Amino acid sequence: MKVKEQLLTLKPYIPGKTTEEVKREYNLDKIVKLASNENPYGCSPKVLEAITTKIPSFSIYPDGAATELRVKVADYLGVDEDQLIFSSGLDELIQYLIRAMLSPNTNTVMAKETFPQYRHHAIIENAEIREVPLKDGKHDLEEMAKQIDGQTKIVWICNPNNPTGTYVNQLELEEFLSKVPSHVLVVLDEAYFEYATNNDYPKTIPLLNKFENLLIMRTFSKAFGLAGFRIGYGIGCPTLIKQLEVARLPFNTSSLAQTAAIAALEDNAFVEKTVALNKKELEKYYQFFDQLQISYYPSQGNFIFINIPGASSTEIFQRLLEKGWIVRAFPNGVRITVGKEEENEQLMKLLAEIATVKL
Ligand SMILES: *Cc1c(COP(=O)(O)O)cnc(C)c1O
């Protein structure tokens, strides 16, 4: 037996240690996980109500077209129903896009420090990956445009970017889109769309009328708090969506996930509350970081990327882990999910200890 050569260079996704493992290893009572940008406030109570009152028949396949949800989302966004494709989280949509468009002798352009799944699946398809380092923590769109050639199929813009929380603004995005040739698909990963509150954060739905080679991705996993249900979607031009539908598995989103997503869309107040609290907590983090000279990127997401002078990211990660706090370490910094007020206050104390020891 032999799998494709390139699979041998990759590792399966490891979600990190379980909280039970960490508890045992360090003899702790409580673990706080601020590593996966999940919603610390859970999800709308309307979701629980919907999935317990509108129980689908579990022996029947789900509606593969997600008809009811499709109508809801189309209305919510003000787009046509045939502009939408649903997936088992954006992870799956990323896989569909790559499976549909990339092959050997094609290439794909992305930031070097961004969501790792774009790269992962491109490797599986044996496509060439052109990674462009971030510039001051932001997508270097000028350099990314230069990397595009006749064999380029997809350019990825993660906006706001995971792990840095930085963003490409309206003007920068439009300028970039007008430079990209029409044979290249630009995928805008807006997993954190709801959290982005700056005025110049792009309003991208209207851009779909102008740029047929644009695909926007949104998910219910983050601000809507439904990561466990696995449901997200793409918005694009009907021709592309129809072609992508061929790569979609017939029953890729479950009945319960569809029901949950519909209910979540009906509770704007929950998302607004989540976003407002996130912003308030982010501001407190900024103040704290400024005082301790911890460097960070202002974030448009529900996470923040930091560096403590003199401490490596693995050192910060390890010291927090020993106290029962799980964050995410990257080669050049640590990403912390913004938690609830009390969690953030406790974490700041621990970070202060690390920073002070080093100063
Ligand atoms: C979390 C995340 C996703 C994947 O989300 P799903 O749970 O698969 O919908 C995609 N892109 C970015 C940037 C993310 O942070």
Side-chain angles (χ1 to χ4, degrees), residues 91-107:
D91 285 346
E92 192 190 43
L93 183 56
I94 293 165
Q95 186 195 28
Y96 291 161
L97 285 163
I98 289 176
R99 187 160 180 220
M101 301 187 75
L102 298 187
S103 56
N105 307 318
T106 68
N107 70 68

Side-chain angles (χ1 to χ4, degrees), residues 33-282:
K33 192 165 166 265
L34 295 174
S36 302
N37 303 344
E38 291 142 336
N39 190 327
Y41 312 104
C43 70
S44 161
K46 291 201 168 138
V47 170
L48 184 64
E49 191 189 312
I51 61 163
T52 48
T53 55
K54 296 183 198 160
I55 302 169
S57 176
F58 296 140
S59 57
I60 306 291
Y61 282 108
D63 172 10
T67 313
E68 200 185 335
L69 176 62
R70 181 179 298 274
V71 171
K72 266 268 181 223
V73 173
D75 182 53
Y76 182 78
L77 299 174
V79 301
D80 293 334
E81 286 159 39
D82 62 0
Q83 287 184 273
L84 300 170
I85 180 168
F86 291 89
S87 59
S88 176
L90 290 186
D91 285 346
E92 192 190 43
L93 183 56
I94 293 165
Q95 186 195 28
Y96 291 161
L97 285 163
I98 289 176
R99 187 160 180 220
M101 301 187 75
L102 298 187
S103 56
N105 307 318
T106 68
N107 70 68
T108 181
V109 177
M110 64 190 74
K112 186 158 171 19
E113 303 85 2
T114 191
F115 193 60
Q117 292 296 309
Y118 320 143
R119 181 175 195 276
H120 185 91
H121 289 285
I123 291 175
I124 294 178
E125 300 304 333
N126 236 339
E128 183 198 338
I129 297 160
R130 300 188 174 174
E131 290 177 298
V132 178
L134 297 178
K135 198 171 159 190
D136 305 322
K138 281 182 62 174
H139 277 74
D140 184 352
L141 293 181
E142 208 170 303
E143 187 53 36
M144 286 175 79
K146 281 189 202 152
Q147 292 295 321
I148 295 171
D149 64 18
Q151 293 311 108
T152 304
K153 300 292 172 189
I154 309 179
V155 178
W156 305 86
I157 301 178
C158 188
N159 206 33
N161 188 43
N162 180 359
T164 50
T166 51
Y167 71 108
V168 169
N169 70 27
Q170 181 89 36
L171 213 67
E172 293 162 343
L173 180 66
E174 285 194 46
E175 215 175 274
F176 179 74
L177 286 170
S178 54
K179 273 198 272 186
V180 176
S182 60
H183 73 270
V184 179
L185 178 68
V186 178
V187 177
L188 267 183
D189 184 342
E190 295 188 337
Y192 301 95
F193 168 80
E194 295 79 11
Y195 284 112
T197 49
N198 277 8
N199 284 335
D200 61 349
Y201 177 81
K203 292 173 183 56
T204 48
I205 303 288
L207 294 178
L208 292 168
N209 299 325
K210 205 168 155 195
F211 302 100
E212 284 209 336
N213 59 334
L214 177 64
L215 186 105
I216 300 164
M217 304 201 296
R218 304 244 176 112
T219 182
F220 287 96
S221 296
K222 305 282 159 63
F224 287 97
L226 300 184
F229 279 105
R230 311 306 303 126
I231 189 152
Y233 57 94
I235 321 152
C237 88
T239 322
L240 172 70
I241 296 292
K242 207 167 156 186
Q243 289 162 354
L244 288 174
E245 279 286 333
V246 177
R248 186 178 64 76
L249 300 181
F251 306 108
N252 63 328
T253 59
S254 73
S255 325
L256 275 179
Q258 293 177 26
T259 303
I262 290 166
L265 276 180
E266 283 167 0
D267 194 353
N268 249 331
F270 172 81
V271 176
E272 279 168 19
K273 193 186 96 189
T274 292
V275 173
L277 288 171
N278 180 68
K279 198 171 171 188
K280 198 169 139 207
E281 292 303 305
L282 266 176

